[in-house]
Amino acid sequence: MINNHRSIFLPLTGITCSNCITGIEMAVTKLPGVFEAKLDFAGERLKVVFDPDRLDYKDLINFIEKIGFGVPTGKLELLLTGISDNLNALLLEKNLLKLDGVLIANANPGSEILHVEYIPGIANVAGISAVIKKAGFQIMETAGGEKPDDVELNARTSELNNQKLLLLLGLFLTLPLITFSMLRDFKIVGFAGDEFAMMGVAALVQFVVGWKFYVGAYHSLRYGVANMDVLIMMGSSVAFFSSCFVAFDIIDSKNVYFETSAAIITLIRLGKYLETRMKSRASSALGALIELTPKTASVLRNGIESRINAEDVVTGDLLIVRPGEKVPVDGIIYEGKSSFDESILTGESMPVDKGIGNDVFGATINREGTVKIEASKIGKNATLSQIIEQVRDAQNTKAPIQKLTDEVGRYFVPIVLGLALFTFMGWIYVAEVDWMGAMINAIAVMVIACPCAIGLATPTAILVGASKGAENGILYKNSEVLEKAGHINIVVLDKTGTITKGEPELKHIIPLNGFNRDELLLLASTAENGSEHPIGKSIVKAGIQKFKTVPFPEQFKAFGGFGISAATKEDNVIIGNNKMMTNSGVDIEDLEPQISRLQDEGKTVMIVAVAKKTEPDSFKPVGIIAVADTIKPGAIDAIDELHRLGLDLVMMTGDNERTARAIAKEVGIDRVISEVPPGVRLMPSERCRRWNHSVTIAALWLQWWEMELMMRPLLQRQMLELQLAQARILQ
């Protein structure tokens, strides 16, 4: 008979045949403390009966993974309210980790987001929620069809407004109370029973403005932990209630300190408001990324097109994306071809031409033709969602110094309370002052410790540092990077939107066959007028700057990946690349040297050919137009300054190698990593363009391989090249 046993059901992955069942059951049964192991092949669930005193379920999971099978875990992300400092977060983490099946619990007081990783067969969401609520925290539930991100934004706004309201109420009551108390001490004002009037005002501050401190202190002491709320509650309460005793003649004293208790609450409330406001600002970069996600999609089901929420798209749905629309989800082109603006992911302003079988990504923009795509990745599997998740993870990591302060914080409050008691007793029995004087000195010890570096300054400094970086276009991969930023010796710069403006501009106009520059520009800008393509827009923009107005073509047609055809009053015009000219029968062999030279300089080359309407098939080239991204004003000076600081610079981009090296040469960067996918680069440069911070070079890409290099500043240059090559291979 088994007296001490426990049964759990573990979900498994990697089971392929009946031999797997036998192997797992035999191997697990041999573990010390295991009484029974049975595997359900259909449900892929392993039932284990074991002695919890001899075997921990985490050891069981490690063993299963060692023998070649997996145990899937669930991940839960909840927005909470009530995490006021690190000790509150540690308290919540401690209680969650006591729950069977919870592997990881990370509560971040900066963002008030809780990350939990658990085993579905052992723990569940209901049990985790129960522990959270029992600990005194509230979960912001998604309701009324709101998205979780909308709930988070609303919760942040609500919390900030609540903190502001409490602060204003505290200031409204405390400032007059302090003023009256000081004038009263100098006998300037006063009336019979004025201490009771002061008591009433102080009570409103104590139990309305400061009520959350009492609630936080209660939940903290309930689990045997003393957090900052305990100090605030004790310091203000001693001042308030001792003054009440004086007012009711229970304590023989001439002085009351109602203004002291009110000032403590209001000043701490000011700190809480500033902290909450900083949290709100810190999440603005993440909110901007989330806003890029398309809201709706045109889906084709059973031959009927309908408009649905992008969230309702399922894998395999056939979606219709028209020119100018955003791609709702990641997918594969099923029908049609077009060019796509992927600057949101890669930062590159030049659209990418794609056709049947090519991958397209959610939130990128279809520039030209209508396409049908088959949804392949939705929800958190989509590329943009993964980038958002990376940014979110970066915001929620703890720096080593913060982990140290968390540990010190466990013992800080009890030590402060002990010092306050020691101060109180010392002033009474050693200095022989009166009870009230000793109490004020003890309160001073507790109050000074309330907004201490252990509980507030360290996480707030990290939060402010990350926020100020975000305001200037710099994102940190995690908090550890922020802490080590002072030791950086390698800086990796994104190209588009950072070194360059991120918008193509007309660079060269080379007229041919009797045309002059103005004639060629007017013809090209007229043909391109109305085009959605960035290259066409750049040509039209140059035409408008030169001629003020540019007429529209009589006819216009775009050929995705090749160019355009148009008709003016007298001529038929085609503008496009080499393939466009070849398909139209235009001989450009003599132009190849000029085209190659411009392309080697990193420019996009378009040939302009004209045929009279009377001879529609006799096209002849009349000019070459080259466009390119433009270096930002101040970028070269900033790069020179970084060189003078002794930093090693690398340019990283999603653009092709020829264009990348041309830009790098122009700005003075020798080392280039090109064609890097957005998942490696952490964050889209589109966001950096919005910050438009050209002086200090907006984006600082700090990748995992960079972390290794920054931790080893004495590594040779060859090691960098090896790591960069490794990043390329990961594509």
Side-chain angles (χ1 to χ4, degrees):
M1 182 177 178
I2 302 171
N3 294 321
N4 185 20
H5 72 279
R6 183 177 168 216
S7 297
I8 61 171
F9 291 86
L10 290 175
L12 301 185
T13 59
I15 302 171
T16 58
C17 62
S18 58
N19 290 334
C20 295
I21 300 175
T22 305
I24 293 173
E25 290 177 347
M26 290 181 60
V28 173
T29 304
K30 291 179 181 179
L31 289 174
V34 174
F35 304 113
E36 181 183 3
K38 289 186 177 181
L39 179 61
D40 175 17
F41 181 79
E44 295 188 330
R45 290 164 60 88
L46 176 66
K47 178 185 178 183
V48 183
V49 182
F50 65 102
D51 183 352
D53 294 333
R54 299 176 61 192
L55 180 67
D56 186 81
Y57 69 87
K58 294 181 181 178
D59 295 330
L60 177 60
I61 293 170
N62 291 334
F63 176 78
I64 291 172
E65 291 177 344
K66 285 181 181 179
I67 63 176
F69 299 92
V71 179
T73 58
K75 293 183 179 180
L76 191 62
E77 184 176 284
L78 297 172
L79 175 66
L80 308 182
T81 58
I83 305 180
S84 57
D85 56 38
N86 284 313
L87 288 178
N88 276 337
L90 290 171
L91 170 64
L92 179 58
E93 292 172 1
K94 178 181 177 182
N95 284 280
L96 284 171
L97 291 173
K98 290 180 180 178
L99 187 65
D100 289 337
V102 175
L103 302 175
I104 298 173
N106 182 12
N108 190 284
S111 61
E112 293 189 304
I113 292 178
L114 171 68
H115 296 271
V116 181
E117 185 173 350
Y118 64 99
I119 304 169
I122 303 176
N124 54 52
V125 176
I128 294 171
S129 300
V131 172
I132 295 171
K133 292 176 181 177
K134 187 177 180 180
F137 303 98
Q138 292 184 349
I139 302 173
M140 301 305 298
E141 299 284 352
T142 302
E146 281 187 306
K147 295 182 180 180
D149 300 319
D150 295 331
V151 172
E152 179 173 348
L153 177 61
N154 293 337
R156 293 260 184 261
T157 304
S158 176
E159 178 68 13
L160 184 61
N161 291 337
N162 184 47
Q163 293 283 6
K164 184 177 181 179
L165 180 63
L166 291 174
L167 173 62
L168 291 176
L169 178 60
L171 291 172
F172 177 75
L173 296 173
T174 302
L175 292 178
L177 182 60
I178 292 175
T179 302
F180 180 84
S181 177
M182 294 179 64
L183 294 176
R184 180 177 182 268
D185 291 341
F186 287 103
K187 310 297 183 182
I188 298 176
V189 297
F191 54 89
D194 55 6
E195 64 271 16
F196 292 102
M198 297 171 66
M199 182 195 304
V201 175
L204 289 174
V205 177
Q206 190 75 23
F207 301 110
V208 176
V209 179
W211 179 248
K212 285 190 175 182
F213 298 133
Y214 282 91
V215 174
Y218 166 74
H219 287 296
S220 175
L221 295 173
R222 180 182 175 188
Y223 289 98
V225 179
N227 64 0
M228 295 302 152
D229 289 339
V230 175
L231 288 181
I232 298 167
M233 181 268 295
M234 292 192 66
S236 61
S237 295
V238 169
F240 177 78
F241 286 110
S242 62
S243 298
C244 290
F245 293 156
V246 171
F248 288 106
D249 294 328
I250 298 175
I251 295 177
D252 184 15
S253 176
K254 297 180 179 179
N255 300 313
V256 292
Y257 296 92
F258 290 117
E259 81 287 352
T260 301
S261 66
I264 292 171
I265 295 293
T266 302
L267 286 175
I268 298 299
R269 181 57 64 195
L270 173 61
K272 293 293 183 182
Y273 168 73
L274 295 175
E275 184 182 8
T276 303
R277 189 175 68 171
M278 190 54 64
K279 289 177 186 177
S280 178
R281 290 182 177 180
S283 61
S284 60
L286 184 61
L289 286 177
I290 293 170
E291 283 299 313
L292 298 174
T293 307
K295 303 298 187 291
T296 61
S298 294
V299 63
L300 196 62
R301 292 174 178 169
N302 300 321
I304 301 174
E305 181 182 349
S306 58
R307 199 77 178 171
I308 64 173
N309 290 329
E311 292 179 330
D312 297 330
V313 174
V314 298
T315 303
D317 269 345
L318 201 60
L319 307 174
I320 299 175
V321 185
R322 295 178 172 83
E325 292 182 343
K326 286 185 177 182
V327 178
V329 297
D330 290 7
I332 300 171
I333 295 181
Y334 178 82
E335 181 182 309
K337 61 181 179 180
S338 183
S339 61
F340 292 84
D341 180 355
E342 296 185 344
S343 60
I344 193 175
L345 298 178
T346 66
E348 304 313 316
S349 56
M350 298 299 181
V352 181
D353 300 319
K354 297 189 176 185
I356 295 174
N358 292 137
D359 292 325
V360 291
F361 306 101
T364 59
I365 302 173
N366 179 13
R367 285 297 186 189
E368 292 182 352
T370 299
V371 295
K372 294 180 181 178
I373 68 170
E374 183 179 353
S376 60
K377 294 180 181 179
I378 60 175
K380 290 193 173 182
N381 294 322
T383 302
L384 182 60
S385 296
Q386 291 176 354
I387 293 173
I388 291 172
E389 190 63 26
Q390 288 180 0
V391 177
R392 194 190 298 274
D393 289 343
Q395 289 183 343
N396 289 308
T397 55
K398 292 181 180 179
I401 185 63
Q402 190 170 345
K403 294 175 182 177
L404 175 62
T405 60
D406 289 347
E407 185 63 27
V408 174
R410 295 174 183 268
Y411 311 101
F412 181 81
V413 175
I415 291 174
V416 170
L417 293 177
L419 289 174
L421 179 61
F422 177 78
T423 301
F424 178 76
M425 302 301 293
W427 279 97
I428 287 182
Y429 294 107
V430 179
E432 297 183 351
V433 301
D434 61 10
W435 188 89
M436 185 62 70
M439 180 203 68
I440 292 300
N441 292 330
I443 290 174
V445 173
M446 289 188 285
V447 172
I448 291 171
C450 287
C452 66
I454 297 298
L456 185 61
T458 300
T460 302
I462 292 172
L463 192 64
V464 171
S467 268
K468 294 302 292 183
E471 288 177 8
N472 292 311
I474 300 174
L475 285 187
Y476 297 93
K477 191 172 181 66
N478 52 48
S479 298
E480 184 176 355
V481 175
L482 176 59
E483 184 176 328
K484 295 181 178 180
H487 305 290
I488 289 174
N489 64 344
I490 298 173
V491 176
V492 181
L493 302 169
D494 183 47
K495 179 179 75 69
T496 309
T498 302
I499 297 174
T500 65
K501 292 181 178 179
E503 297 177 357
E505 290 186 4
L506 187 60
K507 290 294 186 180
H508 295 280
I509 303 175
I510 304 175
L512 304 168
N513 294 326
F515 273 68
N516 59 41
R517 287 175 55 87
D518 289 349
E519 290 173 339
L520 179 60
L521 177 58
L522 180 60
L523 178 68
S525 57
T526 300
E528 290 280 8
N529 204 358
S531 172
E532 291 294 328
H533 199 286
I535 292 178
K537 287 183 175 180
S538 68
I539 295 173
V540 174
K541 181 179 179 181
I544 292 175
Q545 290 175 345
K546 179 68 176 178
F547 306 110
K548 305 303 180 184
T549 60
V550 173
F552 284 91
E554 294 179 352
Q555 296 178 356
F556 177 88
K557 186 176 181 180
F559 298 89
F562 298 98
I564 63 101
S565 67
T568 64
K569 290 182 178 181
E570 299 178 354
D571 302 311
N572 292 328
V573 184
I574 56 174
I575 303 175
N577 55 25
N578 296 28
K579 291 182 180 180
M580 182 78 170
M581 297 299 113
T582 301
N583 293 340
S584 302
V586 181
D587 183 11
I588 58 170
E589 185 176 353
D590 294 339
L591 306 181
E592 290 293 343
Q594 295 186 73
I595 294 173
S596 297
R597 176 180 59 80
L598 292 170
Q599 289 176 338
D600 288 339
E601 294 173 359
K603 299 178 175 65
T604 300
V605 179
M606 308 295 288
I607 301 102
V608 182
V610 173
K612 293 294 182 180
K613 287 187 174 180
T614 56
E615 302 177 9
D617 297 325
S618 58
F619 283 98
K620 64 177 181 178
V622 295
I624 298 174
I625 289 179
V627 301
D629 206 348
T630 304
I631 303 297
K632 275 188 174 182
I636 295 177
D637 292 338
I639 290 172
D640 289 341
E641 179 64 25
L642 292 174
H643 278 306
R644 285 194 292 271
L645 292 173
L647 296 172
D648 196 359
L649 299 184
V650 180
M651 188 181 80
M652 181 160 59
T653 178
D655 209 345
N656 64 78
E657 185 171 357
R658 183 163 56 180
T659 301
R661 291 202 174 275
I663 295 294
K665 182 179 180 180
E666 188 175 350
V667 298
I669 296 178
D670 297 326
R671 300 157 68 189
V672 176
I673 316 169
S674 59
E675 301 176 21
V676 181
V680 176
R681 291 188 292 161
L682 175 65
M683 180 202 168
S685 298
E686 172 68 19
R687 182 58 182 151
C688 295
R689 287 203 294 275
R690 293 184 181 184
W691 287 315
N692 195 27
H693 190 73
S694 61
V695 177
T696 59
I697 305 300
L700 180 59
W701 306 112
L702 300 176
Q703 304 306 313
W704 62 270
W705 42 267
E706 291 176 61
M707 300 308 100
E708 295 296 319
L709 292 175
M710 283 187 289
M711 293 167 64
R712 299 176 174 87
L714 299 180
L715 283 180
Q716 298 298 322
R717 186 178 297 269
Q718 287 81 359
M719 177 60 75
L720 174 64
E721 298 299 337
L722 175 63
Q723 296 284 8
L724 299 185
Q726 186 176 12
R728 292 286 300 278
I729 292 172
L730 290 177
Q731 297 181 46

